[in-house]
Amino acid sequence: MKHLITFALLIAFAQISFSQEPHWEKQLLERTKGKKVIRWEEPSNDDFTWVAVVKVKKKAGIYSVDIGEDSDEEGNSSSHVSYVHTNIEPKYDQIKGFVVIEKEDSDVVEDLQGQKTEVAEGWIKKKTGIIVRYGDGYDMYYLDAQDFFQSIAWENNKGTHVPVKNNDRWGVYDWFKQAFVFECKYTTIENLPKTTDPSGFNEYSVAIFQAFNNQKDKEKIDLIDMDGNNGDGLFKARSATSKKWGLYQYFDDEIVEAIPMQYDSLYHFPWNGNYTAVFNEGKVGFYLSYWSYNEGAKESVQCMYEDYKRYITDDQIPKLAVKKDGKWGWVDWLTGEEKSEFKYGTPEDLPYPNYKQEMWLKE
């Protein structure tokens, strides 16, 4: 008998939880003084709380609706609207359905980690704002829109940053902080600032990007690579006009140039490295470290080789093997002088590098 009672309660619960009753709508409209229930959302947890979008005086708002259950003396049960809470005030001409944000995007914000995060567009007079809903299913929180846009490019969302359009210009907006990352002043989405970080910009990389482009009489950049956000201020930057890359450091609110924007691509300096690889037209060359050679830092080996391999010899002095016309040889990475014939099929075929590799430039 106990099992039959439990089963009957489960059936009653399912009926209440997953199919709203016609009289709920009337009761909800009485509570909200609304004119029309635009749509219901079923509970996403094990309680009786629904969400409803209701039109009140021609404007739409969002409400949480608790459903209660009564039983008469004969054991017949009935449900009713027991409590209504206003999540979003009725001020919108239209509220579109909520869309779930990918976990990899929402997790970039500590407050959203482990939470189900959704966004919906709320329209007022042909402009749209972003309503945010997040929580664990039991406690749900709403953030009302603070700014409004011509359009929002959700397909380009990264982390909590999404491109938005106003006055026919594009910017980047943080929909969780409800604040602009980059103001709407760019003619196309393609012209917006970009980062190689898959999670998008953060406060640090935004500050560096803006500091770079605020320099007077300096070439502007359109793409930044923060070297894994390791905190040392090193970053690669790409020219907005030539699309060439350079290497810089953000230090004491100043931009220090380590490698000018003259290369199709380049690598960050290895740990305590004296030089790094730079590339043009598919060929590799080498650039000396600014932090080792100060004003003497330069392209010491021209971009004319097909491949390279670093070595540390018995004297602990770094040596450099390079490939030219399909063959390998040794090159002095400090001066660019070739130190062997180029006739070896693999780096392993090279003779031992007995030449003296200087570590410092001559005065």
Side-chain angles (χ1 to χ4, degrees), residues 157-338:
N157 182 76
K158 269 191 175 184
T160 60
H161 296 170
V162 67
V164 295
K165 187 179 184 181
N166 255 345
N167 299 319
D168 295 324
R169 292 289 186 271
W170 287 93
V172 179
Y173 191 75
D174 187 321
W175 47 260
F176 183 67
K177 292 183 177 179
Q178 298 279 331
F180 279 97
V181 180
F182 296 101
E183 296 289 338
C184 293
K185 61 180 183 180
Y186 300 88
T187 55
T188 67
I189 289 182
E190 290 71 25
N191 290 336
L192 283 171
K194 301 177 184 64
T195 173
T196 58
D197 189 333
S199 299
F201 281 96
N202 55 39
E203 289 184 11
Y204 186 52
S205 56
V206 167
I208 291 176
F209 194 100
Q210 292 176 333
F212 197 106
N213 280 350
N214 285 337
Q215 296 178 106
K216 292 183 178 180
D217 303 321
K218 298 288 185 179
E219 200 169 353
K220 305 300 182 185
I221 62 173
D222 66 350
L223 178 57
I224 192 171
D225 180 332
M226 289 302 300
D227 188 24
N229 291 311
N230 60 19
D232 61 6
L234 282 174
F235 64 97
K236 293 191 290 187
R238 190 180 74 176
S239 165
T241 52
S242 70
K243 304 303 179 183
K244 296 285 188 178
W245 286 89
L247 182 67
Y248 300 85
Q249 185 175 37
Y250 185 60
F251 185 73
D252 286 343
D253 295 331
E254 297 290 335
I255 304 293
V256 176
E257 181 179 85
I259 300 176
M261 290 185 286
Q262 296 176 356
Y263 298 97
D264 296 338
S265 64
L266 51 82
Y267 292 155
H268 286 280
F269 286 97
W271 179 254
N272 288 333
N274 297 89
Y275 60 91
T276 193
V278 292
F279 299 85
N280 267 329
E281 298 180 359
K283 297 294 181 71
V284 63
F286 300 90
Y287 208 99
L288 297 178
S289 168
Y290 172 84
W291 297 275
S292 296
Y293 301 103
N294 298 310
E295 300 303 322
K298 63 181 179 179
E299 181 185 293
S300 58
V301 180
Q302 293 183 15
C303 295
M304 56 183 291
Y305 297 101
E306 299 152 12
D307 202 355
Y308 73 99
K309 188 171 183 179
R310 298 172 185 265
Y311 288 90
I312 299 293
T313 51
D314 295 340
D315 57 5
Q316 298 302 302
I317 300 297
K319 302 290 174 64
L320 179 63
V322 291
K323 185 179 182 181
K324 181 174 69 173
D325 299 328
K327 299 296 181 179
W328 287 85
W330 295 107
V331 68
D332 185 319
W333 50 261
L334 188 66
T335 66
E337 181 182 354
E338 293 180 351

Side-chain angles (χ1 to χ4, degrees), residues 2-59:
K2 180 179 179 181
H3 293 295
L4 290 176
I5 293 172
T6 302
F7 183 66
L9 289 173
L10 287 172
I11 292 175
F13 171 78
Q15 289 175 337
I16 293 175
S17 295
F18 298 106
S19 59
Q20 74 269 19
E21 301 291 337
H23 58 274
W24 293 359
E25 186 162 316
K26 180 180 179 182
Q27 293 171 357
L28 174 58
L29 294 178
E30 288 175 352
R31 295 287 191 94
T32 60
K33 298 181 180 180
K35 293 187 176 181
K36 180 181 179 182
V37 177
I38 298 172
R39 64 177 176 271
W40 291 88
E41 293 182 17
E42 293 183 354
S44 60
N45 47 45
D46 292 336
D47 63 14
F48 297 151
T49 301
W50 290 65
V51 172
V53 178
V54 179
K55 182 166 284 189
V56 181
K57 295 181 180 180
K58 298 183 179 181
K59 298 295 181 179

